[in-house]
Amino acid sequence: MTTVPPLADADSRPDTAGIDLRGVVKQYGTQAALRGLDLQIRDGEFFCLLGPSGCGKTTTLNLIGGFVAPTEGEIWIQGKRVDQLPPHKRPVNTVFQSYALFPHMSVLENVRFGLKMDRVPRDVSSERAAQALGLVGLEEFGSRMPAQLSGGQQQRVAVARALVKRPAVLLLDEPLGALDLKLRQRLQIELAQIHRDVGTTFVYVTHDQEEAMSMADRIAVMNGGRIEQLGTPEEIYRGPVSRFVADFIGDSNFFEATVEGAVAQLPDGSRVACAGGRSGAATLMVRPEAIVLHGGDGSIAGHVVQTSFLGSYIRIAVETPAAGAPVIVALRDGAAVPALGEGVMLSWTAADGVVLEPGPAA
Amino acid sequence: MTTVPPLADADSRPDTAGIDLRGVVKQYGTQAALRGLDLQIRDGEFFCLLGPSGCGKTTTLNLIGGFVAPTEGEIWIQGKRVDQLPPHKRPVNTVFQSYALFPHMSVLENVRFGLKMDRVPRDVSSERAAQALGLVGLEEFGSRMPAQLSGGQQQRVAVARALVKRPAVLLLDEPLGALDLKLRQRLQIELAQIHRDVGTTFVYVTHDQEEAMSMADRIAVMNGGRIEQLGTPEEIYRGPVSRFVADFIGDSNFFEATVEGAVAQLPDGSRVACAGGRSGAATLMVRPEAIVLHGGDGSIAGHVVQTSFLGSYIRIAVETPAAGAPVIVALRDGAAVPALGEGVMLSWTAADGVVLEPGPAA
Amino acid sequence: MAHDVEVLSRGARVARALLNGYALAIYLFLFAPIVLLVLFSFNANRYGTFPITGWTLEWYRAAVSDYQVHGAVTTTLKVAAQVTLISAIVGTAAAFPLVRSRLPFREGIRIVLILPIMIPGLLIGVSLLVLFVSTFHWQLSEETAVIGQSVYTTPFVILLVAARLQGFDNALERAAADLGANTFQRLRRVVLPLIFPAILAGALFAFTLSLDEFIITYFLIGANNTLPIYIYTQIKFGITPEVNAVASLLLAGSLTLLAVAFALPQLVRRARRAVMRVTTA
Amino acid sequence: MAHDVEVLSRGARVARALLNGYALAIYLFLFAPIVLLVLFSFNANRYGTFPITGWTLEWYRAAVSDYQVHGAVTTTLKVAAQVTLISAIVGTAAAFPLVRSRLPFREGIRIVLILPIMIPGLLIGVSLLVLFVSTFHWQLSEETAVIGQSVYTTPFVILLVAARLQGFDNALERAAADLGANTFQRLRRVVLPLIFPAILAGALFAFTLSLDEFIITYFLIGANNTLPIYIYTQIKFGITPEVNAVASLLLAGSLTLLAVAFALPQLVRRARRAVMRVTTA
């Protein structure tokens, strides 16, 4: 369900810019890790592959990096077919999840390693390595050993080591996964800044939707070896194409419904507004912050089973015969908070009721 | 800094209800895990011990459960001193972080284990075990082995096994830590419901502030073997007593400031509103959602370094000479979003500028 | 499982193939003597070597009907049974404090415990001989051999059971305590059932080691014969196909026992599940 | 580290104390023979046993100046050096495909690889004797002993190096490939430097095993003497304090080597850091 249309002529040379994956299949034994992937990543964009573990996002990254050979399909980078090239001959570099810093080399030697392999003269390589360390704010750490650095510093060394070779594409494999929340948020801002500074294409793999949304120009949401949706963070949040995407990106409430025009009928008989689109059996998805309590026309009735003050908002769980699980409502701080057990009415505007294919709960 | 005043007469018998820890110290060798803890937990409340790893929260739980002996101090449960009693003689039961289900017994045998130890007749114990399994919605799973259950089901068996003995206090040691986000949110609602149903005192340990805030009546925020703040979620979020608490609960921006009355002067010379309290050098804390862009009087200037659409809100990072790190602003969806690199003015109301002791960044 | 890198240049592919071939040759070389030993024991040629003139079970028949072999087998099994019992009981009990308690020098003991495993059997034999004969003035017998072998086998049981105890989730024992079980109930209902496979594996292991042990036994058993000693004395008169057959039988027995010991944890789990299904049905 | 449960009832506390005492007794019993052996080697009493009539180094002096001991030491070291070299090179190369490749039956090979370690030396000795003498008609010599010992020591090196390779973060090799290193550069600059401590530990281990090996050597070395064989033949004439001294020396040597092998990873790391500090200063 990629939004990139397949090219009319399969044998035509792809666009010379960016990355082009064409009909890529990867089988491990009888297990398919990727089931036919068509994906074009533009030159210079910050692109995220987002999905749960096992969705094929890391396999995709490994295919681009050259660590894994595709079973079928072609991979082009900047107009050059690369799928038969070993990793050391591809114009890409990788920041690994574990950072993979060489523990027996100093930070400077780590960063210089790639240039040494390219037989760059020692003085040039020293200067470029120092520059790269400067880019990540670690000028002073060249003589340290990796084990003497904090997790965040190791991550930055890994970025410097990959960028020092000036690759056409930088691959990042969950590079912030091992760090704690506050540090992660700071490094997200830093990585986005580095991306703007160097202008290289970034392909970033993560299972953390907030991380993807906070940095990416475009996101490909993957599931079961396929791309389920591709678009900007806002496009995906506002218009998820499936229950899986809606559930994976942001919080959501789901209702089984029968839709006719812009009206959805819920299991308890209540009729609520929806964006329309398909008719008949459907799943209705509403974001917690889109629900209004004490709604007017087209409301559903329920009673409050939990109210939690969460700082920036108040979370209300409402049990209602209209839905299987409690409906989660996010109230802005300052709104009137109903008491535990109180009966409430819920409603939302038509645009906020997204209609999806009917499907079972995840 | 507990809000519970120390009792006037240290030898008087504590309140017969709830849990009372009096001057509890726990040393491991020369390392102090707890440095003098005074804590009263009320009968029937849902109480959270919240803090980072190593703060002493799990040690506190283990002291109440009887797995660890205090170096100094007394522990009273429902008017009975228990600190010298082995765990099997205390009126408490525990839900362990790893669940600790006996892998060689069926679910029913697991739940019945505690009653068997109490020599409850087999027919009575079977009935009560079935009841407890019903409470957590697992009536049908009695004959399964633990390895055949999902993580969420195992967690519920652990709750049933602990509750079947009808303890005065139920201790929960990060019981949702191993589960994924969506399941954790559902079980949070379920646990709160079970708490209301059985009326037992719950003492819940977690490092996840959202989890603590969503369920607890009161929270004790721990740090370095002490209680740093004790109160309801709202009290703590709105009025953190220290930079540590502010940073741990919710997102926050910190400014070094010199405070006089209700005005704080920042390093770049700008003067902003604050709640006042102390005078002189201080740290000013403002929540991201309390900051208004394009502010009027008493504003600080900066420029936007990142804008991220995160669904329920839009996160703006603003670099300003007034603060060391980029200031994070949370805009409600629908607000006007400034462009990347644009100059902006930030301000907030006096009540939102919380004045804390001066201190270095965490 | 997977290669470190799947996409290879041609040079790298050739190098890998060569290395694989070389490694296979090494493995063949390592196993060849044992394979040949077994092969020759079925060889009709009565010099117990190439050429293989035909297949026969005669040497096995001869070995099985030899009264000297009978005696050696009886002694071997008697000694092995005693050694197994001693090692399993003593080893299990000694494993607990090693993992659980605040025994002084616990880490030191653990390292030193590997010594009886590492120390050449020759030295254990010599030192026990000094102790028993020169110091205690004991008569050498099956019992002295049992003690000597136990010195060598018990550490294996200790280490196996200690490893299981180390991996044992302490929370399980805490949970049992929390639910009202006292120390003995915890041991009986939770700990022992769960470490039982390790004890059994340790016992099987001790049994196998005892079957095969030569040098300690040789020094300490006096006039008696175990199977390895029988083989050794026969070899002195020359290699015969009968000895090959006896050695092959000893090998087969040892390998079977080791295989069972390795497969034990899974077997126990499966058996338990089957019992569970019957009791709860 | 900690007890499973700290707060105990009185009964449980007594039970624990008893168990600890019992375990300490077991450990003492396991180490007693070795300790006595060393003790007696310093005993002035010339029967090499209790009573201890005084302390002396005379038996060591006698052992060191004995020309038979000289010859045995020379042979032992020559054999051990060759065995070490063969095992280290062959074992390291054979470890790679075991961990990395899609060798057929890889899991099978890994299990079978433990066999030469588990199989009694007696059987290895017998089967190699059959192979060398009856099949190849070779003359027994130091070289046949070297081959025989290598069959026994190489699997240890393979397993040690394979364990290190198993724990080796594949991402490191991927990172090197990603940064432009071809297969040989990856091996030279990343893999070998990082598994070097394991190879060294394996070599030391092989050396120690070779020093102490008795039964395979006894069958295969022909007329030559190694230290263990010397001790064995001396013991036949009766236990003397000289033999105790030689055995103690062999023990001390083995233990020192083992200690170094265990401490190696840390030593290498420290040495590397010191070198780094000098080069970058």
Side-chain angles (χ1 to χ4, degrees):
Chain A
M1 264 190 231
T2 132
T3 60
V4 178
L7 295 176
D9 179 2
D11 280 313
S12 77
R13 197 157 192 236
D15 217 347
T16 53
I19 305 169
D20 196 348
L21 280 79
R22 312 174 80 195
V24 172
V25 171
K26 178 62 190 176
Q27 300 263 2
Y28 286 110
T30 58
Q31 284 232 299
L34 284 181
R35 307 161 184 276
L37 199 71
D38 288 294
L39 173 63
Q40 287 182 305
I41 298 172
R42 295 171 200 145
D43 230 3
E45 89 177 313
F46 197 130
F47 192 90
C48 258
L49 294 164
L50 174 65
S53 62
C55 71
K57 57 188 193 302
T58 299
T59 302
T60 307
L61 204 74
N62 283 336
L63 280 162
I64 301 174
F67 308 117
V68 160
T71 312
E72 276 175 43
E74 299 175 5
I75 302 170
W76 297 71
I77 297 177
Q78 295 200 316
K80 205 179 148 204
R81 187 162 168 191
V82 299
D83 47 74
Q84 296 309 313
L85 293 182
H88 61 277
K89 295 187 178 157
R90 298 193 189 193
V92 302
N93 286 113
T94 307
V95 176
F96 292 87
Q97 186 168 14
S98 59
Y99 315 142
L101 299 182
F102 305 125
H104 58 303
M105 301 181 193
S106 70
V107 166
L108 191 69
E109 283 178 278
N110 262 284
V111 176
R112 212 166 48 195
F113 185 86
L115 301 175
K116 204 162 155 187
M117 293 300 111
D118 289 353
R119 299 171 187 280
V120 173
R122 195 181 167 84
D123 52 335
V124 179
S125 75
S126 289
E127 202 195 303
R128 276 176 58 185
Q131 248 172 27
L133 281 174
L135 186 70
V136 297
L138 290 178
E139 298 89 339
E140 309 295 323
F141 290 75
S143 60
R144 298 263 188 107
M145 297 302 280
Q148 298 170 303
L149 302 182
S150 72
Q153 288 167 340
Q154 290 184 23
Q155 195 271 328
R156 278 183 267 180
V157 174
V159 171
R161 187 178 66 173
L163 282 177
V164 78
K165 295 198 70 178
R166 297 179 189 151
V169 181
L170 184 71
L171 306 177
L172 300 107
D173 186 8
E174 310 220 19
L176 306 179
L179 308 174
D180 73 39
L181 186 67
K182 306 272 167 189
L183 183 57
R184 215 153 65 212
Q185 286 178 353
R186 256 183 42 207
L187 289 176
Q188 281 168 19
I189 297 176
E190 253 185 55
L191 272 179
Q193 268 172 329
I194 291 174
H195 173 248
R196 278 195 302 277
D197 289 349
V198 299
T200 299
T201 312
F202 276 35
V203 182
Y204 192 104
V205 159
T206 181
H207 67 272
D208 179 338
Q209 50 109 359
E210 192 181 312
E211 199 165 293
M213 293 180 82
S214 74
M215 290 187 290
D217 296 320
R218 291 195 303 158
I219 296 174
V221 183
M222 296 187 68
N223 187 24
R226 289 182 200 282
I227 292 178
E228 191 129 340
Q229 189 168 9
L230 194 152
T232 67
E234 195 162 349
E235 281 166 13
I236 295 177
Y237 186 82
R238 293 204 199 280
V241 299
S242 68
R243 181 165 178 147
F244 171 81
V245 173
D247 207 31
F248 200 79
I249 305 247
D251 289 324
S252 31
N253 296 294
F254 296 103
F255 302 86
E256 286 174 47
T258 314
V259 174
E260 245 198 273
V263 174
Q265 180 160 353
L266 304 184
D268 67 338
S270 54
R271 298 161 65 83
V272 290
C274 69
R278 63 160 46 233
S279 275
T283 296
L284 188 65
M285 191 282 290
V286 188
R287 301 287 183 190
E289 69 275 12
I291 300 181
V292 184
L293 289 187
H294 300 287
D297 259 5
S299 324
I300 60 180
H303 66 279
V304 175
V305 295
Q306 192 179 38
T307 69
S308 306
F309 177 85
L310 289 174
S312 53
Y313 69 101
I314 295 156
R315 194 174 74 191
I316 315 283
V318 177
E319 213 160 76
T320 160
V327 175
I328 305 299
V329 181
L331 294 185
R332 290 173 180 183
D333 189 11
V337 179
L340 206 62
E342 196 180 320
V344 288
M345 302 292 285
L346 314 174
S347 68
W348 49 82
T349 64
D352 287 324
V354 179
V355 177
L356 305 170
E357 271 190 54
Chain B
M1 264 190 231
T2 135
T3 60
V4 178
L7 296 174
D9 178 0
D11 281 312
S12 77
R13 194 156 193 236
D15 218 346
T16 52
I19 305 169
D20 197 348
L21 279 79
R22 312 174 79 195
V24 172
V25 172
K26 177 64 189 174
Q27 300 262 3
Y28 286 109
T30 57
Q31 283 232 298
L34 284 181
R35 307 160 183 274
L37 199 72
D38 288 295
L39 173 63
Q40 287 182 306
I41 298 171
R42 295 171 198 144
D43 231 3
E45 89 178 311
F46 198 128
F47 191 89
C48 258
L49 294 164
L50 174 65
S53 62
C55 71
K57 58 188 193 300
T58 300
T59 302
T60 307
L61 203 76
N62 284 336
L63 280 162
I64 301 173
F67 307 117
V68 160
T71 312
E72 276 176 43
E74 299 176 4
I75 301 169
W76 297 72
I77 297 176
Q78 296 200 318
K80 204 176 147 205
R81 186 165 169 189
V82 299
D83 47 73
Q84 297 307 313
L85 293 182
H88 61 273
K89 293 186 178 158
R90 298 194 188 192
V92 301
N93 285 112
T94 306
V95 177
F96 292 86
Q97 186 169 12
S98 58
Y99 315 141
L101 300 181
F102 305 125
H104 58 304
M105 302 181 193
S106 69
V107 166
L108 190 71
E109 281 179 279
N110 261 284
V111 177
R112 211 166 51 195
F113 185 87
L115 301 173
K116 203 163 158 188
M117 293 301 109
D118 290 352
R119 298 171 188 281
V120 173
R122 194 180 168 84
D123 52 337
V124 178
S125 76
S126 291
E127 200 193 305
R128 275 176 58 187
Q131 249 171 27
L133 281 174
L135 185 69
V136 296
L138 290 178
E139 301 89 338
E140 311 294 324
F141 290 76
S143 60
R144 298 265 187 106
M145 298 302 280
Q148 298 170 302
L149 302 182
S150 71
Q153 288 167 340
Q154 290 184 23
Q155 194 272 331
R156 279 184 266 181
V157 173
V159 171
R161 185 178 68 172
L163 282 176
V164 78
K165 294 198 72 176
R166 295 176 190 155
V169 181
L170 184 70
L171 306 177
L172 301 105
D173 186 7
E174 310 219 19
L176 306 180
L179 308 174
D180 72 39
L181 185 69
K182 306 274 166 185
L183 183 57
R184 215 152 66 211
Q185 286 179 352
R186 257 184 43 207
L187 289 175
Q188 282 169 17
I189 297 176
E190 253 185 59
L191 272 179
Q193 268 172 330
I194 290 173
H195 173 248
R196 279 196 300 276
D197 290 348
V198 300
T200 300
T201 312
F202 277 34
V203 182
Y204 192 104
V205 159
T206 182
H207 67 273
D208 179 338
Q209 49 109 359
E210 189 179 315
E211 198 165 294
M213 292 180 83
S214 75
M215 292 186 289
D217 296 320
R218 289 195 305 157
I219 296 174
V221 182
M222 295 187 68
N223 186 24
R226 291 181 198 283
I227 293 177
E228 190 129 339
Q229 188 168 9
L230 195 152
T232 65
E234 195 162 348
E235 282 166 12
I236 294 176
Y237 186 83
R238 293 203 198 280
V241 299
S242 68
R243 180 164 178 149
F244 172 82
V245 173
D247 207 32
F248 201 79
I249 306 247
D251 290 322
S252 30
N253 296 294
F254 296 104
F255 303 85
E256 285 175 47
T258 314
V259 174
E260 245 198 273
V263 174
Q265 179 160 351
L266 303 186
D268 68 338
S270 53
R271 298 163 64 84
V272 290
C274 69
R278 62 160 45 231
S279 275
T283 296
L284 189 65
M285 191 283 289
V286 188
R287 301 288 184 189
E289 69 275 11
I291 300 181
V292 184
L293 287 188
H294 300 286
D297 261 5
S299 326
I300 59 181
H303 66 278
V304 175
V305 294
Q306 192 179 40
T307 69
S308 307
F309 177 85
L310 289 174
S312 54
Y313 69 100
I314 293 155
R315 194 174 73 189
I316 315 284
V318 177
E319 213 160 75
T320 160
V327 175
I328 305 299
V329 181
L331 293 185
R332 289 173 183 184
D333 191 9
V337 179
L340 205 63
E342 195 180 322
V344 289
M345 302 293 286
L346 313 174
S347 68
W348 49 82
T349 65
D352 286 324
V354 179
V355 177
L356 305 170
E357 269 189 56
Chain C
M1 287 286 177
H3 276 264
D4 44 326
V5 174
E6 272 187 2
V7 190
L8 290 172
S9 57
R10 188 170 308 137
R13 234 174 278 146
V14 171
R16 283 219 177 160
L18 284 178
L19 187 60
N20 283 0
Y22 166 77
L24 271 179
I26 294 297
Y27 299 141
L28 285 180
F29 171 72
L30 290 177
F31 305 134
I34 294 296
V35 172
L36 283 179
L37 177 77
V38 177
L39 208 65
F40 290 153
S41 72
F42 292 106
N43 187 356
N45 175 339
R46 73 154 297 111
Y47 305 101
T49 172
F50 284 122
I52 290 176
T53 53
W55 302 110
T56 179
L57 286 173
E58 172 162 357
W59 317 123
Y60 284 91
R61 234 173 270 130
V64 168
S65 57
D66 185 334
Y67 79 99
Q68 267 192 300
V69 173
H70 284 196
V73 168
T74 312
T75 310
T76 306
L77 291 179
K78 263 167 69 185
V79 169
Q82 294 176 68
V83 168
T84 305
L85 204 67
I86 293 177
S87 319
I89 295 174
V90 169
T92 301
F96 274 86
L98 189 67
V99 177
R100 295 291 185 85
S101 82
R102 297 200 185 110
L103 222 54
F105 315 114
R106 212 176 47 142
E107 277 313 299
I109 288 175
R110 188 190 303 257
I111 289 171
V112 181
L113 206 57
I114 309 173
L115 290 188
I117 298 175
M118 293 305 200
I119 287 174
L122 178 71
L123 293 187
I124 298 182
V126 171
S127 54
L128 282 172
L129 189 65
V130 173
L131 187 68
F132 292 166
V133 174
S134 310
T135 309
F136 296 163
H137 303 290
W138 284 356
Q139 195 71 30
L140 292 180
S141 67
E142 269 176 32
E143 272 58 50
T144 45
V146 166
I147 298 176
Q149 288 194 359
S150 299
V151 167
Y152 163 66
T153 57
T154 304
F156 285 91
V157 179
I158 298 184
L159 287 180
L160 267 172
V161 176
R164 181 76 190 83
L165 276 177
Q166 199 83 45
F168 188 86
D169 184 3
N170 269 341
L172 289 176
E173 207 173 343
R174 291 188 169 197
D178 185 74
L179 293 166
N182 62 33
T183 307
F184 302 99
Q185 289 168 321
R186 297 204 294 269
L187 195 66
R188 194 185 132 216
R189 305 226 173 244
V190 177
V191 182
L192 281 184
L194 286 174
I195 64 166
F196 181 68
I199 300 175
L200 213 56
L204 272 176
F205 213 70
F207 192 84
T208 315
L209 290 170
S210 168
L211 283 192
D212 293 334
E213 213 293 316
F214 167 69
I215 189 84
I216 300 175
T217 321
Y218 186 74
F219 277 129
L220 298 179
I221 205 162
N224 297 295
N225 255 2
T226 63
L227 219 40
I229 294 174
Y230 169 80
I231 294 171
Y232 172 78
T233 43
Q234 289 299 305
I235 290 282
K236 279 202 204 155
F237 303 122
I239 301 156
T240 62
E242 287 95 340
V243 174
N244 281 347
V246 173
S248 298
L249 285 176
L250 183 56
L251 183 70
S254 307
L255 292 188
T256 310
L257 286 170
L258 283 179
V260 175
F262 278 116
L264 246 175
Q266 224 182 335
L267 291 177
V268 169
R269 216 174 306 135
R270 234 181 265 163
R272 222 172 240 157
R273 213 169 278 164
V275 168
M276 200 61 68
R277 222 170 290 134
V278 172
T279 36
T280 50
Chain D
M1 286 287 180
H3 275 265
D4 45 325
V5 175
E6 271 187 2
V7 190
L8 291 171
S9 56
R10 188 168 307 138
R13 232 173 280 144
V14 172
R16 284 221 177 161
L18 285 177
L19 187 59
N20 282 0
Y22 165 78
L24 269 179
I26 294 296
Y27 300 140
L28 285 180
F29 171 72
L30 289 178
F31 305 133
I34 293 297
V35 172
L36 283 179
L37 176 77
V38 176
L39 209 64
F40 289 154
S41 72
F42 293 105
N43 188 357
N45 175 339
R46 72 154 298 113
Y47 305 103
T49 173
F50 283 124
I52 288 176
T53 52
W55 302 110
T56 179
L57 287 175
E58 172 163 357
W59 317 125
Y60 284 90
R61 235 173 271 130
V64 168
S65 56
D66 184 332
Y67 81 99
Q68 268 193 299
V69 172
H70 284 195
V73 168
T74 311
T75 311
T76 306
L77 291 180
K78 262 167 69 187
V79 169
Q82 295 176 67
V83 167
T84 304
L85 204 68
I86 293 177
S87 320
I89 295 174
V90 170
T92 301
F96 275 84
L98 189 68
V99 176
R100 296 290 186 84
S101 84
R102 296 199 184 110
L103 222 54
F105 315 115
R106 213 175 48 141
E107 277 314 299
I109 288 176
R110 189 189 304 257
I111 291 171
V112 180
L113 207 57
I114 310 173
L115 290 188
I117 299 176
M118 293 304 199
I119 286 174
L122 178 69
L123 293 187
I124 297 182
V126 171
S127 52
L128 283 172
L129 190 64
V130 172
L131 188 66
F132 292 165
V133 174
S134 310
T135 308
F136 296 163
H137 303 292
W138 286 355
Q139 194 71 28
L140 292 180
S141 67
E142 269 176 33
E143 272 57 51
T144 46
V146 166
I147 298 176
Q149 287 192 0
S150 298
V151 166
Y152 163 66
T153 56
T154 304
F156 284 92
V157 178
I158 298 183
L159 286 180
L160 267 171
V161 176
R164 181 75 190 82
L165 276 178
Q166 199 83 46
F168 188 86
D169 183 3
N170 269 341
L172 289 177
E173 209 175 340
R174 291 188 169 200
D178 185 74
L179 292 166
N182 62 34
T183 309
F184 302 98
Q185 288 169 321
R186 297 204 296 269
L187 195 68
R188 194 185 133 214
R189 305 226 173 244
V190 177
V191 181
L192 281 184
L194 286 173
I195 65 168
F196 181 68
I199 299 175
L200 212 57
L204 273 175
F205 213 69
F207 192 85
T208 317
L209 290 171
S210 169
L211 283 191
D212 293 334
E213 213 292 318
F214 167 69
I215 187 85
I216 298 175
T217 321
Y218 187 73
F219 277 130
L220 298 180
I221 205 162
N224 298 294
N225 253 3
T226 62
L227 219 41
I229 295 175
Y230 170 79
I231 294 171
Y232 173 79
T233 43
Q234 289 300 306
I235 291 282
K236 281 202 203 154
F237 302 121
I239 300 156
T240 63
E242 287 94 342
V243 174
N244 281 348
V246 174
S248 298
L249 286 176
L250 183 57
L251 183 69
S254 308
L255 292 187
T256 310
L257 287 172
L258 284 178
V260 175
F262 278 116
L264 246 178
Q266 226 182 334
L267 291 178
V268 169
R269 216 174 306 133
R270 234 181 264 163
R272 224 173 239 157
R273 214 169 280 164
V275 169
M276 200 61 69
R277 221 171 292 133
V278 172
T279 35
T280 51

